[in-house]
Amino acid sequence: MTDATTRAMPSALPPSEAELAEWRALSREEQLARYREVLQHPDCQRITSSTMSDIRAEAQRRVAARRG
């Protein structure tokens, strides 16, 4: 396994029990450092005029379209 597959990181997806246990074992400082690392990714640096409600509605529309 690579380090990327074993490091507990914040995610929009629900964690597995193992991932949750690993996350909880981290110190608060390490959890914050990992949040900062994720939030500083270029994908998180985009500016948009969309609201959170707009983004959520679009995501729900895409999920509904995939389900047919």
Side-chain angles (χ1 to χ4, degrees):
M1 277 194 206
T2 65
D3 187 52
T5 60
T6 59
R7 276 186 81 207
M9 295 295 287
S11 172
L13 302 174
S16 67
E17 289 299 319
E19 291 167 333
L20 185 57
E22 185 178 346
W23 181 257
R24 288 180 175 162
L26 297 173
S27 69
R28 180 176 185 277
E29 291 76 23
E30 182 61 23
Q31 288 176 353
L32 290 173
R34 292 188 186 189
Y35 270 117
R36 287 184 183 111
E37 181 182 341
V38 169
L39 293 172
Q40 290 175 352
H41 188 277
D43 287 347
C44 294
Q45 301 302 314
R46 294 189 219 164
I47 298 173
T48 181
S49 61
S50 300
T51 66
M52 288 301 291
S53 294
D54 296 337
I55 294 167
R56 185 177 318 121
E58 175 63 16
Q60 290 171 336
R61 186 194 63 75
R62 288 182 185 188
V63 168
R66 273 188 262 160
R67 290 184 179 159

